[in-house]
Amino acid sequence: MESWHSLLLLCTLSFVLAPGEPRKNDDDIDLVSFLRSIYPGLLVRNRPFVIDQDFEINSLKEPGHPQILSITEETKDKPVNQDTKVASGPLVLTKDGHIRGVSGDKAHIFYGIPYADPPVGAYRWKAPRALSPWPGVYDASFPRAACMQACAGPIIEECPQTVSEDCLHLNIFVPLEVNFSTPLLSSLPVLVWIHGGDFIAGSASKPLYDGRFISNFTRTVVVNLEYRLGAFGFLVSGKDPHTSAVGNYGILDQQAALLWIQRNIAVFGGDPSKVTIFGESAGAQSVSLHLMIQSSKPLFRQAVLQSLPFSIPLKTRHDALKLGKEFAKQTNCSVSDIVCLLSLTPQAVLAAQMKTSSKLVNPFRFLEVFETWGPYIDGELIKEQAVTAFLKGHWQKEKPVLLGTTSEEGVIFVYGIFNKPISAVESTVYITAIFKQHALKILHKYLPLYKDADRRGMLAQIVTDYIFLCPSRRSARAGTAAGSGVWMYVFDHVASDHRVWSGLTFCYQHPCHGAELPFLFNSASVANFTMSAPEKLLSNRMLCYWGAFAHSGDPSSRAQQTIFCREQRLPVWPRYSDTSGWLVMNLTVRSHAQVGTRNHICDFWDKLGIY
């Protein structure tokens, strides 16, 4: 009976969505309502979902939902830790002025350094401007406000306490071995972290991303940067940059930060010719874009992409403009009235962003519901989808790339959307909504593998395979064929502690999206779990690999590993190539190189050709 229902639903969807059939204009179709009318029991989320699981955003008026945090116009001085002594902290002279940081137990830290002038007032929707020099000494002893965002959900305590439009800052972590009181005789590689958060949330100062340990352990200078988020970073209201918002400001902010690093990082002990950019989720998307953007080419040497959601499409200009019109409608401004839009308070912009986020931009590109705000293909800075660029070789192929995923990326998304079991019939509707004419092949491939009445596990695996794992593998193979140096990994470890670091109970006993971060940053205590001895070894090994990559462009460089990983017996991480059998590094307490365990599934997706 259930199979008959599935076939009926497929036929119904095929009839409704068939080309040439009379239907409403695409702009008027509400696919969420449509799916619910076909099968009322289907749980389709009609609000944005944050890829980095840090925050959720819903309607401002709903009780118990997001809070707009404390919003500042200018930062007020306050100490970070009671044991910091600002007066005795390290002092550096940048091209913009003197900066004094603090020295902690693991690293010298410079918090909240501005890399561009504040994008406020008339400059709200403008490209970042060159930084104005300051008189005196800049106090870099405490983090500044995060970029504008709102928070809700079970881990709201991890949200930044203060947000502001004046947020274009970065934090720098320098190993304690660097002595700022004497001339710097040698320089260290630089690791630049771009945080995730679905382009609507996250912060460079999030405790999970504390760069002190990784900096000291790997002998690198670590930089965490802020960039404009949501409507502040990605609103498109027109094509003329003089009279409208033209989007992609968040990516331009990242570029401005990378340029600042090129100009100034030497005084912090960093080598501007050895910059590695790395990021997770939306941060990995950002890294992939810089690999495609020609003007970013001289700003870094190599890249690490952690859990890049390759198959979530960037918006077209048409869709970005449509979102902009909906945003303006929520503000009672005309989309063409930039003066009205600029007069909005930060709270009003954020409120309109959150209301707009509940709309599907293009109902026939259903996956966009997972990333309402973010970069779009403007034809100049960004010219095509990331997966297309990688497959066609339209990226900086000469740069080494370390690329990987977690083994169960999709769990956090599917169980975050569907809080009750999903039947085969419901899963059929959902899969058909996403994949349309390809749905029958996908169902034929996956349904026999999952016998449980609750099909959420099947949906989670489809999300893992289609959005993360398989397009990453396909891109890695295309890069290898083009002569690029590529190393692949899968993070396959489940935290042993019962307190789940993500704060989301359905991630317990699953290596979910972002599960590698507490191990990479050695921030388990912040992430609310305690590492066992084998887990500490895993964390150290990951730091050795990432550090060796930063120093040499090869995670298995023995010459580099012996410098800061003397006591680690690291399994060799082979370069990803067909001659080695396409080996990937399985990062778990018994890390080892292995043949990809889901190659047959990825072969299926590759042949389907729908990335």
Side-chain angles (χ1 to χ4, degrees):
M1 180 63 72
E2 196 168 68
S3 298
W4 182 86
H5 278 299
S6 299
L7 182 60
L8 177 60
L9 286 166
L10 279 169
C11 292
T12 304
L13 283 167
S14 299
F15 174 78
V16 174
L17 299 177
E21 293 294 332
R23 62 187 183 192
K24 298 168 67 177
N25 183 281
D26 286 0
D27 290 348
D28 299 324
I29 295 175
D30 182 348
L31 187 56
V32 175
S33 300
F34 168 70
L35 288 174
R36 283 177 173 158
S37 69
I38 291 178
Y39 195 85
L42 181 63
L43 296 174
V44 179
R45 183 180 181 137
N46 65 347
R47 57 184 185 267
F49 188 75
V50 178
I51 290 182
D52 196 27
Q53 79 261 7
D54 292 343
F55 316 99
E56 293 175 316
I57 290 183
N58 309 292
S59 167
L60 278 172
K61 298 180 180 179
E62 294 179 88
H65 279 174
Q67 303 173 3
I68 295 183
L69 305 170
S70 172
I71 299 176
T72 64
E73 295 301 324
E74 54 185 16
T75 315
K76 300 187 183 302
D77 291 353
K78 58 182 179 180
V80 176
N81 300 307
Q82 293 180 352
D83 60 348
T84 59
K85 296 180 180 179
V86 177
S88 61
L91 180 69
V92 298
L93 175 59
T94 69
K95 295 185 182 300
D96 306 300
H98 285 88
I99 300 175
R100 189 178 294 280
V102 293
S103 295
D105 58 340
K106 292 184 177 67
H108 306 294
I109 313 163
F110 300 84
Y111 286 113
I113 302 173
Y115 63 81
D117 271 357
V120 298
Y123 300 101
R124 172 181 282 163
W125 286 299
K126 298 292 182 184
R129 297 170 295 140
L131 183 62
S132 301
W134 55 81
V137 178
Y138 184 87
D139 181 4
S141 65
F142 62 95
R144 265 54 177 188
C147 289
M148 294 297 299
Q149 58 192 273
C151 302
I155 51 173
I156 192 169
E157 67 275 4
E158 295 183 20
C159 297
Q161 295 302 304
T162 307
V163 297
S164 174
E165 287 194 81
D166 179 3
C167 65
L168 300 187
H169 303 102
L170 46 80
N171 302 329
I172 299 178
F173 305 87
V174 182
L176 287 176
E177 69 180 60
V178 174
N179 186 351
F180 288 99
S181 63
T182 61
L184 301 176
L185 301 178
S186 61
S187 55
L188 299 174
V190 182
L191 280 165
V192 180
W193 175 252
I194 305 177
H195 70 78
D198 202 20
F199 294 109
I200 58 173
S203 168
S205 298
K206 184 175 180 178
L208 182 65
Y209 309 144
D210 189 332
R212 285 178 286 182
F213 191 88
I214 189 171
S215 172
N216 201 49
F217 188 100
T218 64
R219 299 181 68 249
T220 58
V221 176
V222 175
V223 183
N224 293 0
L225 62 89
E226 305 276 9
Y227 56 96
R228 279 174 282 182
L229 304 168
F232 296 91
F234 299 100
L235 176 68
V236 179
S237 65
K239 296 182 180 180
D240 186 346
H242 299 292
T243 59
S244 56
V246 294
N248 287 333
Y249 301 111
I251 302 302
L252 292 174
D253 292 343
Q254 296 170 10
Q255 206 175 49
L258 291 172
L259 180 59
W260 186 95
I261 290 166
Q262 286 295 309
R263 297 177 68 242
N264 293 282
I265 203 64
V267 301
F268 296 89
D271 186 343
S273 70
K274 292 185 178 180
V275 173
T276 301
I277 58 174
F278 71 132
E280 185 264 349
S281 196
Q285 281 184 282
S286 301
V287 171
S288 73
L289 293 177
H290 291 297
L291 282 167
M292 298 158 51
I293 297 171
Q294 277 302 110
S295 52
S296 292
K297 186 174 181 178
L299 303 179
F300 65 102
R301 187 178 72 168
Q302 54 206 19
V304 181
L305 303 109
Q306 300 172 211
S307 299
L308 171 57
F310 261 120
S311 295
I312 294 180
L314 301 178
K315 290 179 184 60
T316 62
R317 182 182 293 276
H318 170 79
D319 288 338
L321 283 168
K322 181 181 175 185
L323 181 66
K325 290 178 181 178
E326 182 61 35
F327 170 86
K329 181 180 177 181
Q330 298 295 335
T331 66
N332 294 320
C333 290
S334 166
V335 72
S336 60
D337 189 349
I338 190 66
V339 174
C340 180
L341 293 172
L342 288 172
S343 70
L344 297 170
T345 65
Q347 294 94 329
V349 173
L350 194 58
Q353 170 195 312
M354 295 186 339
K355 292 175 182 176
T356 307
S357 295
S358 66
K359 306 287 184 179
L360 275 175
V361 177
N362 184 336
F364 292 101
R365 296 172 67 187
F366 190 78
L367 288 174
E368 286 185 358
V369 73
F370 291 108
E371 190 173 283
T372 306
W373 293 94
Y376 81 106
I377 300 173
D378 58 13
E380 297 177 6
L381 189 71
I382 302 172
K383 298 181 179 180
E384 58 190 330
Q385 301 289 347
V387 68
T388 304
F390 274 72
L391 295 184
K392 291 184 176 180
H394 298 166
W395 61 289
Q396 299 150 35
K397 299 183 292 296
E398 72 281 2
K399 294 182 176 180
V401 171
L402 195 155
L403 172 68
T405 62
T406 68
S407 60
E408 296 185 62
E409 301 271 10
V411 168
I412 195 167
F413 301 103
V414 170
Y415 285 77
I417 296 170
F418 302 105
N419 54 20
K420 295 180 180 179
I422 296 298
S423 70
V425 174
E426 293 170 301
S427 66
T428 297
V429 174
Y430 188 68
I431 291 168
T432 304
I434 298 175
F435 298 106
K436 302 176 181 62
Q437 70 269 27
H438 304 287
L440 280 175
K441 290 181 180 179
I442 294 166
L443 289 164
H444 185 263
K445 187 72 175 179
Y446 280 84
L447 279 173
L449 303 177
Y450 295 86
K451 305 299 183 182
D452 292 344
D454 182 2
R455 298 306 172 100
R456 286 180 294 180
M458 180 185 75
L459 292 177
Q461 192 61 61
I462 290 174
V463 169
T464 297
D465 295 337
Y466 170 66
I467 294 180
F468 295 95
L469 174 63
C470 297
S472 294
R473 190 197 77 155
R474 181 72 183 88
S475 298
R477 292 189 174 186
T480 296
S484 303
V486 181
W487 287 262
M488 284 205 74
Y489 73 87
V490 58
F491 184 85
D492 196 26
H493 176 68
V494 180
S496 60
D497 196 285
H498 285 206
R499 292 170 295 171
V500 184
W501 77 265
S502 69
L504 300 171
T505 55
F506 49 79
C507 272
Y508 175 49
Q509 294 186 338
H510 296 278
C512 284
H513 186 72
E516 84 281 13
L517 296 176
F519 294 87
L520 180 60
F521 284 92
N522 200 257
S523 53
S525 59
V526 172
N528 198 32
F529 78 94
T530 302
M531 283 189 187
S532 63
E535 287 173 331
K536 289 179 181 178
L537 177 61
L538 169 61
S539 176
N540 288 348
R541 283 180 169 177
M542 289 181 65
L543 287 164
C544 288
Y545 286 131
W546 263 248
F549 185 76
H551 280 263
S552 69
D554 180 348
S556 275
S557 171
R558 293 299 187 189
Q560 294 301 329
Q561 289 175 359
T562 55
I563 295 174
F564 48 85
C565 298
R566 298 182 184 87
E567 299 179 3
Q568 301 293 328
R569 295 182 179 180
L570 294 175
V572 174
W573 187 340
R575 181 167 163 169
Y576 193 65
S577 68
D578 54 355
T579 57
S580 67
W582 301 110
L583 296 180
V584 303
M585 178 57 67
N586 184 304
L587 295 172
T588 184
V589 290
R590 294 182 178 86
S591 298
H592 58 283
Q594 65 177 35
V595 175
T597 57
R598 298 189 65 77
N599 278 340
H600 65 293
I601 294 292
C602 289
D603 289 344
F604 163 77
W605 286 105
D606 287 355
K607 291 176 183 177
L608 209 56
I610 59 172
Y611 298 136

